[in-house]
Amino acid sequence: MFSAWNWVAHGLYLLLNICFLEVSGGLVQSCGHIIPESPVLALGSNFTALCILNESCLDFGNIYANQIIWKIKNRVVPKEQYREINRTVSSVTFNDTSSLATPLTCNILADGQIEQNIYGITVTIGLPPEKPKNLSCIVHQVSKLTYPMTCTWNPGRHTFLDTHFRLKYRWPQENFPDCIPKDVNNSCTITDVQFFVNLEVWVEAANALGKAESDPLVLDPIEIVKPLSPHNLSVNSGILPTVLKLSWENRISAAVMKLKFNIRYRIIGDTNWMQVPPEDTASSRTSFSVQGLRPYTEYVFSIRCMKEDGVGYWSDWSEEKTGVTTEDKPTKGPPIWRIIDASHSPASWTVQLMWKALEPFEANGVILQYEVTVRAKSSLSSPPEKYSVNTTNLTLKLPNGTYEVTVIARNRVGASPPSVLLIPASNSKAPVKNVRTLPKDGKLWVGWTAPNSYVLKYVIEWCLVSNSSDCITEWQNEPGNVQGTYLKGDIKPFKCYLITVYPLYADGQGSGQSVKAYLQQDRPSKGPTVQTKKVGKAEAVLTWNHLTVDEQNGFIRSYTIFYKTIDGNETAVTVDPSKTEYTLSSLTSDTLYTVRMMAYTDEGGRSGPDFTFTTQKFGKGEIEAIVVPVCLAFLLIVLLGVLFCFNKRDLIKKHIWPIVPDPSKSNIAQWSPQVPAKHNFSSKDQMYPEGSFTDVSVVEIEADDKKSFSEQDLKPFDLLKKEKSTSEGHSSGIGGSSCMSSPRQSVSDSDEGEATQNTSSTVQYSTVVLNGYRDQTPVQVFSRSESTQPLLDSEERSEDHAGGGDSATQRQQYFKRNGGQDETNTDRPCFERTKQITPANEGDLVGFAQLQISGQSSQPLGIELEKNTQEAALSDVLQTSTEGQTVRPETVEGSPLSVDEMPKSYLPQTVRQGGYMPQ
């Protein structure tokens, strides 16, 4: 119970204590303070601060010095820097104030737990002022009677503190008020001073850490005056063309100060000033004549002044004024050069004379005209030719030779000295050597090695090389004692110039030596365009054109070719810049390649467009190596086939195209119904003409063979019967019916036969010739044709009308001789009638020839024996067989017809004796 009340009482005590502290102003005001209060400290010095606690805090709050904590800007200071002096005082020491920041606070731990701020101070750190240095003063003339003095000094280092400066001055026995600078710390102006009295001047600097004073300066203000510059300056031309007269006014009284002057001048447009010698203007004056100027030249003038003895300061330069000198005659002749064109005729020249306009300082006025004189050196007696021109060029046509040309420039005052140019017949003198160029300081320098002979002067000729414009020649002269110069024209970067140096001698000139040059190079504007000239299996010939001069922008040092396949690595090849063709080798056949080309100057390269090509699948000669053997093999096979066919021509001919007998060779062509043909069978050649038979059927019948004939033996004869039946359906108009029917009936029946001819595709011809046995004289017989093609009446009768009475008589006799027999025996079979005209001689040989042609002819033709003749022949064969005799027919090969004997057509034509001959 006692302990509980004890705790309550203790709490009430703390509450009352806190309220008391709040009413009294808090812990900071009541419990302690820090000394020194807001100190100003020198940077880098030592500093010690003390925190002192009040006795009241010891009794009520149980606060002691050992509970104090020091902080710098809320950062706890290490306890090693603390020192407890007694139970109410604690100190902290800083060996270097450069690490000290503001604020510095003193804090305690209330009841050992709560941190309370006791007190805090602001610490200012800086430097003491330095001694002002370099004190100087100047008196500026503001008007004719006002002369303020301004003094300046060096305030020294920055102090990080408020530092105040004062300009102090005094006479030896009198002080003046200090001059306090406004808004600056290094100058101050005293509004009025007195001349011819010495004045002592110094500067004082002060801040919280101390004071400093400059060294005193003792002077007379008249010695430091900067006067106003002269005004109302004017420039007037003098009597002489090289003199201008200046005049002005001074703004300071001569009684106060005597002055000296400086005069400067320059040619208008120039930036470099020239000055009149100072000793010429060292006395007081208000005018001066400037001499040694250029005639007819505009000048700019300015002037300034100062104390005559040189003590003090120069005034500012006056305003600028201009003036022009008068004209004078030109001081030198115009530089002259020539261009000779001998391309039209070697015997005459086209000479273009050129000269440069004189510079203003050389012309000394306005050039009115140029006088040109041309004198031939080979003919001194002839008068010279003179020309007056207003331009700077003249074109002449001169014979080939040596000439002396003089040019004079004339203005209003007079003429210039003549300029002389010798035009030799040839450039036979020694040339310069080792012409070289070098870009330098934005200009193009040209150098050369002089020849051994004495050179009067050099001519440097140059022109811009371009594809878009002509080469316009520019030139300049240089003295003979120099071996290099800068080109004076407008030389542009990235452009190519052709530079030529000519040495000129007193008696001629040397040939020019040329070199190309660039003031500045760049990468080419574009790359070369590459194309293929020839593409093979493993190589490709690439070709390109050189870049134009305008596209090069410098000297082309090399070309690089890049090529690759679609999925392969790129390969680079470097090519000499003089080449326009290159062969890529070791390529893959039948492959697509992409190629591009880069051109390089000294400043880099640029690539051209891509180009693609495909290599060939076969190399040169590979296709020929395959095709030629195949063709030779084919030709060999064809040749062997032809030889084979030639050797087997008879067999092939027999099976493929059998020989069709020419109907014009047939015996029926010589036969007429009125006059039968008289066959001459005196020889076998006539009886069996060549080509009459294509095939002969041979039948051998032994005499003692008593057997009856079989059907197989009689099959050839059945064929004859079938042909007979066929021929009966298509009776020929030539011989009528097979039993010697009237020819008129045949002709009338031709219409009926045409229907059969259109449907028939087979034409058969048969010829049967009965020869005598063993060279016996045969009986005259005639062959007939069973052709179904009718004879035209005009063709059948044409020769009858033309033949005369003899042929008609013969025909009548023939039919009378045979007609009676036919009429009396009309009822007899045809077979029997045939036997009457054909005697059955022993050994008679029956020959049969039959040819069948298959085709698309609409009118089949055929020749065969009549049925009577066939039966008679058959009976004769049978008779001879029964008598025991043997029939041995011979097979006759038909030979090919000659060209004259080849059939031309199968149309009916009229024959010589009135018969019908199909072709």
Side-chain angles (χ1 to χ4, degrees), residues 453-486:
S453 304
Y454 172 74
V455 177
L456 186 64
K457 63 180 178 179
Y458 295 97
V459 175
I460 296 91
E461 180 182 285
W462 74 90
C463 69
L464 175 63
V465 181
S466 176
N467 297 101
S468 58
S469 61
D470 295 333
C471 189
I472 300 176
T473 302
E474 298 184 51
W475 54 277
Q476 67 187 52
N477 289 337
E478 294 297 331
N481 59 350
V482 301
Q483 298 187 22
T485 185
Y486 288 98

Side-chain angles (χ1 to χ4, degrees), residues 415-436:
S416 69
S419 296
V420 180
L421 175 65
L422 182 65
I423 302 178
S426 62
N427 300 333
S428 58
K429 301 296 181 179
V432 298
K433 301 177 182 179
N434 191 24
V435 179
R436 57 201 179 273

Side-chain angles (χ1 to χ4, degrees), residues 771-786:
N771 193 10
Y773 177 69
R774 294 181 180 179
D775 298 329
Q776 295 180 2
T777 302
V779 179
Q780 292 184 356
V781 297
F782 64 88
S783 302
R784 64 159 307 179
S785 171
E786 287 294 332

Side-chain angles (χ1 to χ4, degrees), residues 55-210:
E55 291 292 338
S56 60
C57 293
L58 301 178
D59 297 334
F60 296 100
N62 297 324
I63 299 174
Y64 302 98
N66 59 358
Q67 296 175 342
I68 293 176
I69 299 175
W70 292 93
K71 285 187 176 182
I72 300 174
K73 209 172 185 178
N74 296 326
R75 180 171 58 87
V76 177
V77 178
K79 291 185 177 297
E80 292 79 6
Q81 299 178 219
Y82 298 177
R83 181 184 176 191
E84 184 180 351
I85 299 175
N86 51 41
R87 66 172 189 161
T88 61
V89 178
S90 176
S91 67
V92 62
T93 301
F94 299 93
N95 296 326
D96 187 359
T97 56
S98 60
S99 62
L100 187 61
T102 188
L104 175 63
T105 60
C106 175
N107 307 277
I108 64 170
L109 288 175
D111 294 332
Q113 298 296 331
I114 302 173
E115 182 179 311
Q116 297 290 337
N117 181 261
I118 300 297
Y119 202 77
I121 62 174
T122 300
V123 180
T124 304
I125 300 174
L127 296 171
E130 286 185 331
K131 177 182 177 180
K133 300 176 182 179
N134 301 329
L135 177 62
S136 63
C137 296
I138 182 172
V139 177
H140 292 278
Q141 181 186 8
V142 177
S143 65
K144 196 168 186 178
L145 300 175
T146 305
Y147 300 91
M149 183 179 72
T150 301
C151 296
T152 59
W153 60 87
N154 183 2
R157 65 189 177 184
H158 184 44
T159 62
F160 304 102
L161 302 173
D162 290 336
T163 303
H164 303 282
F165 293 88
R166 292 175 179 272
L167 177 63
K168 296 179 177 292
Y169 63 101
R170 66 184 178 184
W171 286 346
Q173 290 84 19
E174 184 180 357
N175 292 330
F176 295 98
D178 295 342
C179 179
I180 301 175
K182 294 180 180 180
D183 302 326
V184 294
N185 61 356
N186 63 343
S187 68
C188 192
T189 300
I190 300 172
T191 58
D192 193 12
V193 293
Q194 296 296 324
F195 293 151
F196 310 112
V197 178
N198 289 333
L199 187 67
E200 182 180 5
V201 182
W202 74 96
V203 178
E204 178 185 85
N207 64 14
L209 296 178

Side-chain angles (χ1 to χ4, degrees), residues 241-242 295-296 326-331 362-366 411-414:
T242 59
Y296 199 69
T326 58
E327 288 190 68
D328 195 5
K329 63 181 181 181
T331 57
E362 298 171 339
N364 294 336
V366 179
N411 61 10
R412 284 189 287 264
V413 177

Side-chain angles (χ1 to χ4, degrees), residues 656-707:
I656 298 178
W657 56 85
I659 296 177
V660 179
D662 188 356
S664 65
K665 305 295 182 179
S666 176
N667 294 331
I668 195 64
Q670 307 296 329
W671 176 83
S672 175
Q674 290 79 12
V675 181
K678 301 296 182 177
H679 296 283
N680 184 10
F681 296 144
S682 60
S683 64
K684 291 184 177 182
D685 295 335
Q686 296 176 350
M687 180 178 178
Y688 304 109
E690 186 178 0
S692 298
F693 299 99
T694 59
D695 191 13
V696 177
S697 300
V698 179
V699 180
E700 294 185 359
I701 304 174
E702 298 296 335
D704 54 354
D705 191 358
K706 302 302 182 179
K707 298 179 180 179

Side-chain angles (χ1 to χ4, degrees), residues 21 60 141 163 537 621-622 645 842 915 918:
L21 293 175
F60 296 100
Q141 181 186 8
T163 303
K537 178 181 179 182
E622 290 184 1
C645 294
E842 183 180 358

